[in-house]
Tab-separated table of all heavy atoms in Angstrom:
chain	number	residue	atom	x	y	z
A	1398	LYS	N	-15.720	18.736	-33.637
A	1398	LYS	CA	-16.233	19.900	-34.371
A	1398	LYS	C	-17.673	19.695	-34.811
A	1398	LYS	O	-18.501	20.617	-34.698
A	1398	LYS	CB	-15.347	20.170	-35.611
A	1398	LYS	CG	-15.796	21.360	-36.423
A	1398	LYS	CD	-14.865	21.587	-37.608
A	1398	LYS	CE	-15.307	22.788	-38.451
A	1398	LYS	NZ	-14.421	23.020	-39.617
A	1399	ARG	N	-17.994	18.505	-35.297
A	1399	ARG	CA	-19.343	18.248	-35.813
A	1399	ARG	C	-20.263	17.647	-34.757
A	1399	ARG	O	-21.384	17.277	-35.059
A	1399	ARG	CB	-19.248	17.328	-37.029
A	1399	ARG	CG	-18.430	17.898	-38.181
A	1399	ARG	CD	-19.059	19.145	-38.797
A	1399	ARG	NE	-20.324	18.846	-39.405
A	1399	ARG	CZ	-20.442	18.477	-40.705
A	1399	ARG	NH1	-19.378	18.408	-41.483
A	1399	ARG	NH2	-21.630	18.230	-41.217
A	1400	ARG	N	-19.793	17.516	-33.550
A	1400	ARG	CA	-20.584	16.961	-32.449
A	1400	ARG	C	-21.184	15.621	-32.793
A	1400	ARG	O	-22.401	15.369	-32.675
A	1400	ARG	CB	-21.672	17.953	-32.039
A	1400	ARG	CG	-21.089	19.266	-31.502
A	1400	ARG	CD	-22.167	20.186	-31.003
A	1400	ARG	NE	-21.600	21.422	-30.459
A	1400	ARG	CZ	-22.314	22.418	-29.948
A	1400	ARG	NH1	-23.649	22.328	-29.924
A	1400	ARG	NH2	-21.721	23.508	-29.472
A	1401	LEU	N	-20.324	14.704	-33.239
A	1401	LEU	CA	-20.760	13.364	-33.636
A	1401	LEU	C	-20.891	12.457	-32.404
A	1401	LEU	O	-20.342	12.743	-31.348
A	1401	LEU	CB	-19.756	12.773	-34.621
A	1401	LEU	CG	-19.436	13.630	-35.858
A	1401	LEU	CD1	-18.455	12.895	-36.761
A	1401	LEU	CD2	-20.710	13.980	-36.632
A	1402	HIS	N	-21.626	11.379	-32.587
A	1402	HIS	CA	-21.802	10.421	-31.482
A	1402	HIS	C	-20.578	9.540	-31.291
A	1402	HIS	O	-20.344	9.012	-30.198
A	1402	HIS	CB	-23.021	9.523	-31.742
A	1402	HIS	CG	-24.325	10.248	-31.738
A	1402	HIS	ND1	-24.967	10.649	-32.899
A	1402	HIS	CD2	-25.119	10.628	-30.712
A	1402	HIS	CE1	-26.100	11.254	-32.594
A	1402	HIS	NE2	-26.213	11.258	-31.272
A	1403	LEU	N	-19.774	9.404	-32.369
A	1403	LEU	CA	-18.764	8.365	-32.349
A	1403	LEU	C	-17.776	8.561	-33.494
A	1403	LEU	O	-18.132	9.093	-34.537
A	1403	LEU	CB	-19.457	7.006	-32.512
A	1403	LEU	CG	-18.788	5.709	-32.080
A	1403	LEU	CD1	-18.368	5.768	-30.603
A	1403	LEU	CD2	-19.754	4.555	-32.308
A	1404	GLY	N	-16.536	8.138	-33.295
A	1404	GLY	CA	-15.561	8.079	-34.367
A	1404	GLY	C	-15.050	6.662	-34.469
A	1404	GLY	O	-14.654	6.057	-33.455
A	1405	LEU	N	-15.053	6.102	-35.665
A	1405	LEU	CA	-14.632	4.712	-35.881
A	1405	LEU	C	-13.523	4.672	-36.923
A	1405	LEU	O	-13.565	5.420	-37.901
A	1405	LEU	CB	-15.797	3.847	-36.362
A	1405	LEU	CG	-17.056	3.848	-35.482
A	1405	LEU	CD1	-18.171	3.057	-36.168
A	1405	LEU	CD2	-16.742	3.243	-34.111
A	1406	ALA	N	-12.542	3.816	-36.726
A	1406	ALA	CA	-11.444	3.690	-37.697
A	1406	ALA	C	-11.019	2.240	-37.817
A	1406	ALA	O	-11.174	1.448	-36.868
A	1406	ALA	CB	-10.260	4.537	-37.260
A	1407	VAL	N	-10.483	1.894	-38.982
A	1407	VAL	CA	-9.875	0.593	-39.206
A	1407	VAL	C	-8.510	0.779	-39.825
A	1407	VAL	O	-8.245	1.790	-40.492
A	1407	VAL	CB	-10.735	-0.327	-40.091
A	1407	VAL	CG1	-11.962	-0.817	-39.344
A	1407	VAL	CG2	-11.191	0.410	-41.362
A	1408	ASP	N	-7.628	-0.184	-39.614
A	1408	ASP	CA	-6.273	-0.062	-40.165
A	1408	ASP	C	-6.274	-0.445	-41.650
A	1408	ASP	O	-7.325	-0.657	-42.267
A	1408	ASP	CB	-5.293	-0.896	-39.366
A	1408	ASP	CG	-5.540	-2.394	-39.489
A	1408	ASP	OD1	-6.670	-2.786	-39.849
A	1408	ASP	OD2	-4.611	-3.167	-39.232
A	1409	GLY	N	-5.081	-0.513	-42.243
A	1409	GLY	CA	-4.956	-0.701	-43.697
A	1409	GLY	C	-5.667	-1.922	-44.250
A	1409	GLY	O	-6.274	-1.870	-45.325
A	1410	ASP	N	-5.589	-3.040	-43.524
A	1410	ASP	CA	-6.269	-4.238	-44.007
A	1410	ASP	C	-7.551	-4.517	-43.202
A	1410	ASP	O	-8.136	-5.601	-43.307
A	1410	ASP	CB	-5.355	-5.446	-43.994
A	1410	ASP	CG	-4.773	-5.749	-42.611
A	1410	ASP	OD1	-5.013	-4.973	-41.668
A	1410	ASP	OD2	-4.088	-6.787	-42.474
A	1411	ALA	N	-7.987	-3.555	-42.427
A	1411	ALA	CA	-9.293	-3.548	-41.743
A	1411	ALA	C	-9.466	-4.665	-40.727
A	1411	ALA	O	-10.599	-5.033	-40.399
A	1411	ALA	CB	-10.438	-3.591	-42.774
A	1412	ASP	N	-8.371	-5.213	-40.198
A	1412	ASP	CA	-8.548	-6.244	-39.168
A	1412	ASP	C	-8.415	-5.710	-37.745
A	1412	ASP	O	-8.707	-6.408	-36.788
A	1412	ASP	CB	-7.613	-7.434	-39.400
A	1412	ASP	CG	-6.136	-7.074	-39.219
A	1412	ASP	OD1	-5.809	-5.885	-39.055
A	1412	ASP	OD2	-5.301	-8.015	-39.264
A	1413	ARG	N	-7.993	-4.439	-37.605
A	1413	ARG	CA	-7.907	-3.808	-36.288
A	1413	ARG	C	-8.757	-2.539	-36.259
A	1413	ARG	O	-9.038	-1.933	-37.288
A	1413	ARG	CB	-6.456	-3.500	-35.930
A	1413	ARG	CG	-5.635	-4.734	-35.645
A	1413	ARG	CD	-4.225	-4.383	-35.220
A	1413	ARG	NE	-3.493	-3.730	-36.286
A	1413	ARG	CZ	-2.537	-2.839	-36.105
A	1413	ARG	NH1	-2.220	-2.444	-34.894
A	1413	ARG	NH2	-1.898	-2.325	-37.129
A	1414	PHE	N	-9.138	-2.116	-35.056
A	1414	PHE	CA	-10.055	-1.008	-34.885
A	1414	PHE	C	-9.432	0.146	-34.103
A	1414	PHE	O	-8.440	-0.018	-33.378
A	1414	PHE	CB	-11.319	-1.484	-34.124
A	1414	PHE	CG	-10.988	-2.135	-32.800
A	1414	PHE	CD1	-10.742	-1.366	-31.666
A	1414	PHE	CD2	-10.912	-3.513	-32.691
A	1414	PHE	CE1	-10.444	-1.946	-30.449
A	1414	PHE	CE2	-10.585	-4.120	-31.473
A	1414	PHE	CZ	-10.353	-3.330	-30.358
A	1415	GLY	N	-10.014	1.330	-34.253
A	1415	GLY	CA	-9.688	2.491	-33.454
A	1415	GLY	C	-10.990	3.203	-33.129
A	1415	GLY	O	-11.822	3.416	-34.038
A	1416	ILE	N	-11.199	3.572	-31.873
A	1416	ILE	CA	-12.495	4.116	-31.439
A	1416	ILE	C	-12.299	5.463	-30.731
A	1416	ILE	O	-11.449	5.582	-29.833
A	1416	ILE	CB	-13.204	3.152	-30.472
A	1416	ILE	CG1	-13.280	1.731	-31.059
A	1416	ILE	CG2	-14.595	3.686	-30.118
A	1416	ILE	CD1	-14.090	1.581	-32.323
A	1417	VAL	N	-13.097	6.454	-31.121
A	1417	VAL	CA	-13.065	7.785	-30.500
A	1417	VAL	C	-14.487	8.087	-29.991
A	1417	VAL	O	-15.462	7.962	-30.732
A	1417	VAL	CB	-12.629	8.860	-31.514
A	1417	VAL	CG1	-12.715	10.254	-30.861
A	1417	VAL	CG2	-11.207	8.604	-31.998
A	1418	ASP	N	-14.585	8.483	-28.717
A	1418	ASP	CA	-15.891	8.764	-28.128
A	1418	ASP	C	-16.391	10.159	-28.533
A	1418	ASP	O	-15.666	10.958	-29.124
A	1418	ASP	CB	-15.801	8.652	-26.616
A	1418	ASP	CG	-17.169	8.397	-25.955
A	1418	ASP	OD1	-18.117	8.059	-26.672
A	1418	ASP	OD2	-17.265	8.557	-24.733
A	1419	ALA	N	-17.609	10.469	-28.166
A	1419	ALA	CA	-18.266	11.727	-28.584
A	1419	ALA	C	-17.516	12.980	-28.163
A	1419	ALA	O	-17.565	14.011	-28.846
A	1419	ALA	CB	-19.694	11.762	-28.042
A	1420	ASP	N	-16.790	12.931	-27.035
A	1420	ASP	CA	-16.064	14.098	-26.564
A	1420	ASP	C	-14.628	14.142	-27.081
A	1420	ASP	O	-13.835	14.991	-26.641
A	1420	ASP	CB	-16.088	14.172	-25.039
A	1420	ASP	CG	-15.356	12.993	-24.399
A	1420	ASP	OD1	-14.959	12.053	-25.121
A	1420	ASP	OD2	-15.174	13.021	-23.153
A	1421	GLY	N	-14.273	13.206	-27.963
A	1421	GLY	CA	-12.916	13.149	-28.505
A	1421	GLY	C	-11.989	12.247	-27.753
A	1421	GLY	O	-10.801	12.124	-28.103
A	1422	THR	N	-12.478	11.597	-26.701
A	1422	THR	CA	-11.641	10.676	-25.933
A	1422	THR	C	-11.341	9.419	-26.753
A	1422	THR	O	-12.255	8.783	-27.304
A	1422	THR	CB	-12.338	10.258	-24.622
A	1422	THR	OG1	-12.571	11.411	-23.827
A	1422	THR	CG2	-11.501	9.255	-23.851
A	1423	TYR	N	-10.066	9.070	-26.828
A	1423	TYR	CA	-9.676	7.814	-27.502
A	1423	TYR	C	-9.959	6.646	-26.550
A	1423	TYR	O	-9.530	6.667	-25.397
A	1423	TYR	CB	-8.197	7.861	-27.874
A	1423	TYR	CG	-7.692	6.599	-28.546
A	1423	TYR	CD1	-7.950	6.364	-29.893
A	1423	TYR	CD2	-6.943	5.653	-27.832
A	1423	TYR	CE1	-7.493	5.205	-30.521
A	1423	TYR	CE2	-6.478	4.502	-28.459
A	1423	TYR	CZ	-6.755	4.294	-29.789
A	1423	TYR	OH	-6.302	3.147	-30.419
A	1424	ILE	N	-10.685	5.665	-27.026
A	1424	ILE	CA	-11.005	4.476	-26.205
A	1424	ILE	C	-10.015	3.391	-26.614
A	1424	ILE	O	-10.067	2.903	-27.747
A	1424	ILE	CB	-12.451	4.018	-26.446
A	1424	ILE	CG1	-13.460	5.189	-26.269
A	1424	ILE	CG2	-12.816	2.873	-25.524
A	1424	ILE	CD1	-13.497	5.753	-24.874
A	1425	ASN	N	-9.116	3.030	-25.707
A	1425	ASN	CA	-8.071	2.086	-26.112
A	1425	ASN	C	-8.599	0.659	-26.296
A	1425	ASN	O	-9.736	0.364	-25.875
A	1425	ASN	CB	-6.894	2.150	-25.123
A	1425	ASN	CG	-7.232	1.613	-23.733
A	1425	ASN	OD1	-7.799	0.545	-23.567
A	1425	ASN	ND2	-6.859	2.377	-22.713
A	1426	ALA	N	-7.799	-0.179	-26.871
A	1426	ALA	CA	-8.251	-1.517	-27.247
A	1426	ALA	C	-8.675	-2.333	-26.041
A	1426	ALA	O	-9.655	-3.099	-26.123
A	1426	ALA	CB	-7.154	-2.243	-28.035
A	1427	ASN	N	-7.948	-2.223	-24.906
A	1427	ASN	CA	-8.369	-2.941	-23.706
A	1427	ASN	C	-9.763	-2.530	-23.258
A	1427	ASN	O	-10.567	-3.371	-22.844
A	1427	ASN	CB	-7.359	-2.688	-22.570
A	1427	ASN	CG	-6.138	-3.580	-22.669
A	1427	ASN	OD1	-6.258	-4.790	-22.877
A	1427	ASN	ND2	-4.968	-2.997	-22.493
A	1428	GLN	N	-10.037	-1.244	-23.330
A	1428	GLN	CA	-11.367	-0.741	-22.957
A	1428	GLN	C	-12.424	-1.226	-23.939
A	1428	GLN	O	-13.545	-1.589	-23.543
A	1428	GLN	CB	-11.345	0.767	-22.886
A	1428	GLN	CG	-10.467	1.328	-21.767
A	1428	GLN	CD	-10.267	2.835	-21.846
A	1428	GLN	OE1	-10.201	3.406	-22.948
A	1428	GLN	NE2	-10.174	3.486	-20.699
A	1429	VAL	N	-12.094	-1.240	-25.230
A	1429	VAL	CA	-13.056	-1.697	-26.232
A	1429	VAL	C	-13.377	-3.177	-26.033
A	1429	VAL	O	-14.548	-3.579	-26.073
A	1429	VAL	CB	-12.511	-1.448	-27.658
A	1429	VAL	CG1	-13.421	-2.110	-28.696
A	1429	VAL	CG2	-12.396	0.034	-27.941
A	1430	VAL	N	-12.356	-3.987	-25.807
A	1430	VAL	CA	-12.600	-5.417	-25.581
A	1430	VAL	C	-13.474	-5.615	-24.345
A	1430	VAL	O	-14.381	-6.453	-24.363
A	1430	VAL	CB	-11.266	-6.166	-25.428
A	1430	VAL	CG1	-11.499	-7.615	-24.999
A	1430	VAL	CG2	-10.483	-6.145	-26.737
A	1431	SER	N	-13.247	-4.828	-23.305
A	1431	SER	CA	-14.061	-4.933	-22.095
A	1431	SER	C	-15.505	-4.501	-22.365
A	1431	SER	O	-16.473	-5.190	-21.973
A	1431	SER	CB	-13.473	-4.056	-20.978
A	1431	SER	OG	-12.173	-4.471	-20.645
A	1432	LEU	N	-15.673	-3.363	-23.021
A	1432	LEU	CA	-17.018	-2.874	-23.353
A	1432	LEU	C	-17.782	-3.897	-24.175
A	1432	LEU	O	-18.973	-4.180	-23.907
A	1432	LEU	CB	-16.915	-1.576	-24.144
A	1432	LEU	CG	-16.570	-0.319	-23.330
A	1432	LEU	CD1	-16.135	0.817	-24.263
A	1432	LEU	CD2	-17.757	0.129	-22.477
A	1433	LEU	N	-17.132	-4.486	-25.173
A	1433	LEU	CA	-17.843	-5.416	-26.057
A	1433	LEU	C	-18.044	-6.778	-25.404
A	1433	LEU	O	-18.978	-7.488	-25.770
A	1433	LEU	CB	-17.106	-5.537	-27.395
A	1433	LEU	CG	-17.191	-4.290	-28.264
A	1433	LEU	CD1	-16.532	-4.522	-29.633
A	1433	LEU	CD2	-18.648	-3.858	-28.483
Side-chain angles (χ1 to χ4, degrees):
K1398 181 179 180 180
R1399 300 295 295 271
R1400 297 184 178 180
L1401 307 181
H1402 294 98
L1403 201 56
L1405 305 174
V1407 287
D1408 67 339
D1410 59 355
D1412 66 353
R1413 290 183 295 150
F1414 55 82
I1416 309 296
V1417 176
D1418 202 14
D1420 64 352
T1422 299
Y1423 179 79
I1424 308 297
N1425 68 49
N1427 277 315
Q1428 294 170 326
V1429 172
V1430 172
S1431 299
L1432 284 165
L1433 290 184

